Amino acid sequence: MRSQLSFLAMGASTSPITSQPFLITPLNRFRFTVLFVLATGLGWVLEAGILRTLDTPMLPQLWQTGGLLGAFVTGLVAGAIVSALQWLVLRRYLSDWLWILASSVGYVLLMTTQEAWWSLLDQLLKNTEWFANLSTMHPRATLLASGAISTLLSALCAVWLGIAQWLFLRQYTQSSRWWVMIPSIAVLLSSGLFTLGSLVPPLLNINLALEPTALGSGILGTIQAIALCALRQRVSHRAMNSSSLLATAPEISSRSQVRYLSQKVYTLLDTNWESEVVCDRPVSYWVGVDDVGGIAAYEPIGQTAIDYLPQTPLPLLIKPRYSGKALPPLARFRITFQPSGTIRVQPEQGIPLVWIAVLMLLVVIVASAIVAYSGITQLLHQWMQSPVTPN
């Protein structure tokens, strides 16, 4: 009988029965991060297109971009679109649509505060000796100074977005105050990478350019997704049977040992599964494996798994000496019996967040470089600057 062993699990749809109530379960982290980053990037693209339609003589000056009112409109449009697309990914874990409202308010405060600071700074530079001193600086030094000021102001204003989203998240998560700084960290990181991409080419004599919008939206989506994966649910929102022996058993945390036990349980199930599960959908179980590869406990995921349990080898393979007793340290796996006759063995640990973060950051940097070199940026700028005329 054919079997399939999977180490990079990305598609689990049911919360694991572990004692770690993460908001985004370890099995779902990679899939969630990819979708969240794509949703954030698509949101910024749609926001740019919608804002372009507002710069038309057909609309009153109040609704056009530019100035404080324009910053309000920009923040409202950007917040509503980006957060709505993010919520389509997040709703599997937080069904409350108030994420859209909280993020929209945060974006409005971010944009309007940033515009107010820039207006104040512009007046100060024009009416004081700072402007005269700035004009005597080297052009590159002037560029770096203005970039540093812009980055610090943007990071400071991004705190509003963090506060607004935290006020929503704190209802469902514990110890989440650090979320307030997440948007600011994203701003600093994206600005730092963009600056590095601008300074390194002249020093190393290489041609490197990063598209700022693609880089910024990708970094923001990645940082927010990783932070959401690190958040823990409040006890009242746990979607698991925390009293089961499998949930309370100590965990084998060594990844090398977990990989070895994956092979052991894979071979054990493949050898002893003699009758295929007659079902038109996969049936899954959480299975605890001891340090020698024996099955110590299992728990069906859903009613379908309960109904088809007798057709699986799990009841016959469980070790009798663990029945009704405290369990030893276990490696937890999601075992899925497929209608095609294959078996998937997925470690409950999932992919480490550090690996996901590094991988996504590399993808975002490469994607922003491709956008910069492909000419898409120039086409978008030309399209954005072209006048919108009524038909």
Side-chain angles (χ1 to χ4, degrees), residues 36 49 320 371:
F36 196 87
V371 171

Side-chain angles (χ1 to χ4, degrees), residues 43-290:
W44 281 104
V45 172
L46 294 177
E47 171 261 346
I50 292 177
L51 289 178
R52 177 180 179 270
T53 63
L54 298 180
D55 287 327
T56 171
M58 297 296 294
L59 293 177
Q61 185 67 28
L62 175 65
W63 296 109
Q64 297 186 31
T65 58
L68 196 59
L69 291 176
F72 175 86
V73 174
T74 301
L76 184 62
V77 172
I81 295 175
V82 174
S83 60
L85 291 176
Q86 289 177 339
W87 181 74
L88 292 177
V89 180
L90 192 57
R91 64 178 179 173
R92 293 182 58 193
Y93 314 96
L94 291 176
S95 58
D96 198 335
W97 62 270
L98 290 178
W99 168 266
I100 302 175
L101 177 61
S103 297
S104 299
V105 171
Y107 273 101
V108 168
L109 292 174
L110 188 161
M111 296 294 185
T112 53
T113 306
Q114 185 173 257
E115 179 64 27
W117 274 109
W118 272 116
S119 298
L120 178 61
L121 184 61
D122 185 61
Q123 293 179 5
L124 289 175
L125 290 176
K126 290 181 179 179
N127 299 324
T128 64
E129 296 180 355
W130 295 357
F131 183 77
N133 295 332
L134 192 63
S135 61
T136 60
M137 295 174 59
H138 190 276
R140 179 169 295 180
T142 303
L143 181 63
L144 290 176
S146 61
I149 294 174
S150 175
T151 299
L152 292 176
L153 284 179
S154 298
L156 180 62
C157 296
V159 172
W160 285 113
L161 178 60
I163 292 175
Q165 291 177 340
W166 169 71
L167 290 175
F168 166 77
L169 289 172
R170 67 173 183 170
Q171 305 174 64
Y172 304 95
T173 59
Q174 52 182 322
S175 303
S176 58
R177 292 186 182 89
W178 49 267
W179 181 273
V180 171
M181 298 305 300
I182 290 299
S184 299
I185 293 173
V187 170
L188 294 174
L189 180 58
S190 59
S191 298
L193 289 175
F194 182 76
T195 303
L196 185 63
S198 302
L199 296 179
V200 168
L203 297 176
L204 301 180
N205 195 23
I206 60 176
N207 189 14
L208 177 64
L210 300 175
E211 206 288 315
T213 302
L215 182 66
S217 61
I219 294 295
L220 177 62
T222 299
I223 297 298
Q224 286 185 321
I226 296 299
L228 285 167
C229 291
L231 287 174
R232 295 175 179 270
Q233 297 180 12
R234 288 188 178 275
V235 176
S236 59
H237 290 274
R238 291 183 180 180
M240 60 179 175
N241 181 12
S242 59
S243 61
S244 68
L245 291 176
L246 184 55
T248 56
E251 181 181 6
I252 296 177
S253 58
S254 171
R255 293 193 174 273
S256 60
Q257 189 175 7
V258 169
R259 179 173 280 104
Y260 167 75
L261 294 175
S262 297
Q263 297 284 355
K264 294 280 289 185
V265 73
Y266 160 76
T267 303
L268 181 65
L269 292 171
D270 185 47
T271 303
N272 290 273
W273 190 23
E274 298 178 353
S275 62
E276 295 186 5
V277 177
V278 183
C279 185
D280 59 353
R281 68 187 65 180
V283 289
S284 300
Y285 304 85
W286 288 111
V287 176
V289 179
D290 61 20

Side-chain angles (χ1 to χ4, degrees), residues 32 204 211 248 298 354 384:
F32 170 80
L204 301 180
E211 206 288 315
T248 56
Y298 62 84
V354 175
M384 290 290 294

